[in-house]
Amino acid sequence: MVEIVINETGERIDNIGEITYVYQMADLSNITKSVSSRSWSFKIPKTPTNIKIFEFIGIGGVVSSIQYQKTVVSIYDNGTLIDDSAILTIDSVNGNEFVCNVKTGVFDLMDTIGDLSIGDLDLKELNHDNTVSNILASWNNDLAYKYIIVDYGAGFSFDKVNEKIHLESNFLLPSARVSYLFDKIAEHIGWTFNLWKDETFVSYPAIYFDFINFPFREDSATYVTVVTGDTNSLYKGRGQKVTKIIPENITAISPPYLSYDNVKKVFISEVQQTVSVELPLITADKKEKNYVYYLSVNGVIVRSVYGDKTDSLLVENIILNIGDGLNVTLILGVGMSGTVSFGEMKILRQGIRAYNFRTSFSDLKVKDLLKEVLVRYGLVMKPKSLSKKVDFVKISDRLISPVQDWSGYLVEVENTSFKFGTYGQTNILKHKYVADLLTYNNGAISINDSTLPVSTTLHESKFYTSIFTIDLFGDTLFQGVYFLFQNWEAEPKDNGVVTEVEWKPINGRISYLRDFLGLSTVFLDEVETGSAVTIGGEVNYKQIVSRYYQDYLKLLNNAEIVKVKVSLPTHILKTFDVSGRFYFSQLGGEYLMNSLTYKSGELVSDAEFIKIN
């Protein structure tokens, strides 16, 4: 007799008939569907008690939402508790009965995740401005994001002679820690993921930049301090201030990255940034180039421009930290007379990108990230519905797990097969590439069985692999390489005089990255970082197969799948470990379970086991 009890109310459902329990471990028949789950289907008669429990659903004129809800139940078979946290759902109602399903494990987890995307999560710890200080902080601290050093297609150069890497902050992309994303998924759905803190990252897709082509934003003002006298008078103190040209309002920008302090007569930087200054054009009736400009930061002269020595009035790459004051002073030379005209001074500042990961990850589904992690490490998920906890098990762990002796339950062997599921001779784990028909980083699980189809694709990733790897130091793999992940492309712009290059982001490429090699000589925007920085890259599927799938290969290349009938006491259904090892003395060996189908009221059950060779 089967009993179902509603956990929340303690109500018992009337007159349950037979239930078919299905326990599933599908990691060998298809390694990309690695689950540890069970499900049951059954019919419930429309008794008065059951109609009340199910809120009169199916009764004419009654509105109920119970069919869209998950009801947590406990299931007993002949008084033995089989499951204390199963999820019951109503599939349909007919004239005399309710057709129901009970799911636990990965079925419950996947129903909970649904169509959730990473962008639906609370990712506030990831959002930040692309500033040098934030890039350095990500290298030196355990933040939710990190700027992994790879070549994104621009802003990366390597001086092999001096073993120095030069980076431009504009072209570096932040990446989110996978462990952080799993914590956020768990927080959102109310589960816990028992996943080790592996140092892997998901990169930011370049298409979502707030400032697509890094335009220099322009603040115009007519303020400049003007003095007369000798061009060296700033040092000798002989300059005489003759006029002040008061600024117009600076372009309003939120947040204001540059503001004007009318008292101090300086421009105050409100974020760390690099600016350029386009100085006012000076014209006069006589000696129109007899002048000098001094640009000072916090009272210290950092640049000077002499009118008789240059035709350019653009001073580039002035680095301002938060709170720095920028002042421009013009000294008119002796003899400049007549009408003196001043143009407009412009402060040009590079647009600072505010990274919004919720927007950038809106197209990345939680299920796709979860599947990627499972495939990359050859893992099996073991969700527990009651505790809302998910354990991850490797095939190597299964092969050394405690042995469960089922010799006393074996009734008969039905047949032995020597083929797994839908495998082919070559089974591909496929990366995403920048062009069709590329295969160079794919992984191949090969089975020595000429009767199988020639090739099949087991998994196709949503993540882009590197275009190629370049040897930096001539060392072995992972000790002297850098990786190219093409996120930028050059677009020539011909203005009629010269051809310039504008860098454009490539639409939404996302990669799965990790750290590899520590270096001490890295220059960011031509300034040495002063601390060891880790060079990043990827582990591709070709390497993953050799690293994590050797035990799978042994099982698949010596395949022996045994279908048996077993007679199980009901208490076993609650206690056995579906992911563990099983021993049958009659078969003379140990096995892994692939599936078990148990029907209440019947003496024997169907099971499928894989021999451990």
Side-chain angles (χ1 to χ4, degrees):
M1 177 183 176
V2 177
E3 293 179 285
I4 294 182
V5 178
I6 310 297
N7 285 8
E8 184 177 2
T9 64
E11 296 172 293
R12 292 179 179 270
I13 296 174
D14 279 344
N15 302 324
I16 301 299
E18 293 184 353
I19 294 182
T20 299
Y21 309 89
V22 178
Y23 299 80
Q24 182 176 332
M25 281 297 298
D27 59 322
L28 288 178
S29 60
N30 187 339
I31 60 173
T32 65
K33 296 179 180 178
S34 300
V35 298
S36 171
S37 310
R38 49 191 172 188
S39 64
W40 307 287
S41 59
F42 54 92
K43 297 176 181 179
I44 299 174
K46 276 188 174 180
T47 66
T49 298
N50 293 342
I51 290 173
K52 179 182 177 182
I53 289 173
F54 293 129
E55 299 180 357
F56 301 96
I57 184 175
I59 305 298
V62 176
V63 177
S64 174
S65 62
I66 193 170
Q67 67 272 28
Y68 307 117
Q69 300 172 5
K70 293 180 178 181
T71 303
V72 183
V73 300
S74 296
I75 300 178
Y76 297 83
D77 191 342
N78 292 316
T80 300
L81 178 64
I82 303 302
D83 198 297
D84 55 10
S85 57
I87 305 300
L88 183 147
T89 57
I90 302 172
D91 291 340
S92 62
V93 182
N94 57 38
N96 299 314
E97 56 197 8
F98 303 97
V99 180
C100 300
N101 247 297
V102 170
K103 298 178 180 178
T104 64
V106 82
F107 295 114
D108 180 26
L109 174 63
M110 290 305 176
D111 283 349
T112 302
I113 292 174
D115 198 41
L116 188 69
S117 77
I118 299 298
D120 294 327
L121 309 176
D122 177 8
L123 304 176
K124 59 179 177 292
E125 292 87 355
L126 291 176
N127 297 333
H128 65 282
D129 289 339
N130 173 238
T131 63
V132 171
S133 58
N134 282 336
I135 293 172
L136 293 175
S138 81
W139 291 345
N140 299 319
N141 299 281
D142 189 23
L143 302 181
Y145 65 88
K146 186 171 186 177
Y147 283 78
I148 303 297
I149 299 178
V150 296
D151 187 350
Y152 296 100
F156 184 106
S157 62
F158 179 66
D159 177 0
K160 190 167 184 176
V161 174
N162 298 301
E163 295 188 354
K164 297 177 180 179
I165 289 181
H166 295 265
L167 307 169
E168 294 181 39
S169 60
N170 296 334
F171 297 103
L172 286 177
L173 299 176
S175 294
R177 290 183 187 272
V178 171
S179 58
Y180 167 84
L181 295 178
F182 268 80
D183 287 343
K184 287 298 181 177
I185 295 168
E187 177 184 294
H188 188 92
I189 66 175
W191 286 65
T192 299
F193 291 99
N194 187 22
L195 186 69
W196 66 95
K197 298 295 183 181
D198 185 48
E199 290 298 300
T200 55
F201 301 82
V202 176
S203 67
Y204 190 101
I207 191 62
Y208 294 104
F209 282 159
D210 296 278
F211 304 98
I212 296 299
N213 293 314
F214 309 129
F216 271 85
R217 297 186 128 194
E218 181 178 294
D219 287 328
S220 299
T222 53
Y223 170 80
V224 66
T225 299
V226 181
V227 299
T228 59
D230 181 30
T231 55
N232 292 321
S233 61
L234 185 67
Y235 297 104
K236 298 178 180 180
R238 295 200 301 266
Q240 181 182 358
K241 190 178 295 184
V242 295
T243 184
K244 297 176 183 177
I245 303 175
I246 305 301
E248 301 170 352
N249 290 332
I250 295 176
T251 306
I253 296 171
S254 182
Y257 294 138
L258 200 66
S259 64
Y260 173 68
D261 187 326
N262 191 43
V263 177
K264 298 178 181 178
K265 302 297 188 296
V266 294
F267 296 92
I268 307 299
S269 180
E270 299 192 3
V271 296
Q272 186 182 57
Q273 60 185 312
T274 300
V275 302
S276 298
V277 179
E278 186 177 307
L279 299 168
L281 177 66
I282 307 299
T283 59
D285 293 341
K286 295 182 180 180
K287 297 184 179 180
E288 63 181 37
K289 286 194 174 184
N290 187 17
Y291 62 86
V292 61
Y293 277 109
Y294 290 105
L295 288 83
S296 305
V297 175
N298 299 334
V300 179
I301 297 175
V302 294
R303 300 289 178 84
S304 57
V305 176
Y306 290 83
D308 60 349
K309 295 180 181 179
T310 181
D311 293 324
S312 173
L313 292 176
L314 178 63
V315 182
E316 298 182 293
N317 298 322
I318 299 175
I319 299 175
L320 300 177
N321 292 306
I322 298 173
D324 282 352
L326 172 66
N327 183 274
V328 178
T329 300
L330 168 65
I331 298 179
L332 298 177
V334 176
M336 289 192 72
S337 61
T339 302
V340 178
S341 302
F342 301 89
E344 185 179 61
M345 183 178 75
K346 297 178 180 179
I347 296 178
L348 309 174
R349 53 191 180 73
Q350 200 159 9
I352 296 178
R353 298 179 303 283
Y355 288 110
N356 187 326
F357 277 78
R358 293 193 68 177
T359 302
S360 68
F361 283 163
S362 60
D363 294 332
L364 177 59
K365 299 299 181 183
V366 169
K367 289 180 180 178
D368 288 331
L369 178 60
L370 186 58
K371 186 175 182 180
E372 186 73 22
V373 171
L374 294 177
V375 171
R376 282 185 169 271
Y377 298 101
L379 298 175
V380 178
M381 284 195 304
K382 293 181 62 179
K384 302 172 183 177
S385 296
L386 180 61
S387 61
K388 300 297 181 184
K389 179 181 178 181
V390 183
D391 292 324
F392 293 84
V393 181
K394 300 178 182 179
I395 183 66
S396 56
D397 296 330
R398 293 185 66 192
L399 293 173
I400 61 172
S401 63
V403 175
Q404 303 163 86
D405 189 347
W406 276 27
S407 303
Y409 306 139
L410 181 63
V411 176
E412 65 173 309
V413 176
E414 290 190 297
N415 64 68
T416 300
S417 173
F418 302 99
K419 290 181 173 58
F420 279 117
T422 57
Y423 281 106
Q425 296 178 53
T426 302
N427 303 275
I428 306 298
L429 302 179
K430 184 182 295 185
H431 282 289
K432 204 171 184 67
Y433 292 90
V434 298
D436 295 335
L437 304 179
L438 297 177
T439 63
Y440 51 86
N441 277 343
N442 287 347
I445 298 174
S446 299
I447 300 177
N448 298 320
D449 186 341
S450 60
T451 66
L452 295 174
V454 174
S455 180
T456 186
T457 298
L458 290 181
H459 169 68
E460 190 163 355
S461 178
K462 303 292 184 180
F463 297 85
Y464 281 86
T465 189
S466 58
I467 292 181
F468 54 76
T469 302
I470 297 179
D471 187 352
L472 294 182
F473 306 107
D475 284 338
T476 58
L477 191 63
F478 306 137
Q479 296 300 313
V481 298
Y482 83 82
F483 295 79
L484 172 62
F485 294 85
Q486 188 77 38
N487 282 271
W488 302 101
E489 61 183 353
E491 183 176 281
K493 296 286 186 180
D494 189 348
N495 61 13
V497 180
V498 295
T499 300
E500 299 178 340
V501 172
E502 183 177 275
W503 290 97
K504 297 184 64 176
I506 301 173
N507 188 10
R509 290 183 181 172
I510 188 169
S511 300
Y512 199 99
L513 307 177
R514 67 176 305 119
D515 285 333
F516 282 121
L517 175 66
L519 291 179
S520 58
T521 310
V522 173
F523 287 78
L524 181 61
D525 293 341
E526 299 306 319
V527 177
E528 187 172 356
T529 61
S531 60
V533 179
T534 304
I535 303 303
E538 69 171 343
V539 178
N540 61 49
Y541 286 155
K542 186 183 299 183
Q543 297 156 346
I544 283 169
V545 168
S546 64
R547 184 176 297 188
Y548 295 111
Y549 283 86
Q550 293 309 301
D551 288 323
Y552 282 104
L553 286 167
K554 292 175 183 177
L555 290 169
L556 293 172
N557 276 294
N558 298 276
E560 187 173 320
I561 305 96
V562 180
K563 290 185 178 180
V564 300
K565 289 190 178 295
V566 290
S567 178
L568 300 174
T570 52
H571 70 85
I572 288 293
L573 301 178
K574 171 68 176 175
T575 59
F576 83 94
D577 180 7
V578 68
S579 66
R581 288 186 294 169
F582 297 82
Y583 174 71
F584 296 95
S585 59
Q586 302 92 323
L587 303 178
E590 296 175 1
Y591 293 78
L592 298 177
M593 179 179 286
N594 211 39
S595 66
L596 171 68
T597 302
Y598 174 90
K599 293 183 179 180
S600 62
E602 295 190 3
L603 296 177
V604 295
S605 303
D606 295 319
E608 186 174 276
F609 291 88
I610 302 155
K611 187 172 184 179
I612 300 173
N613 46 59

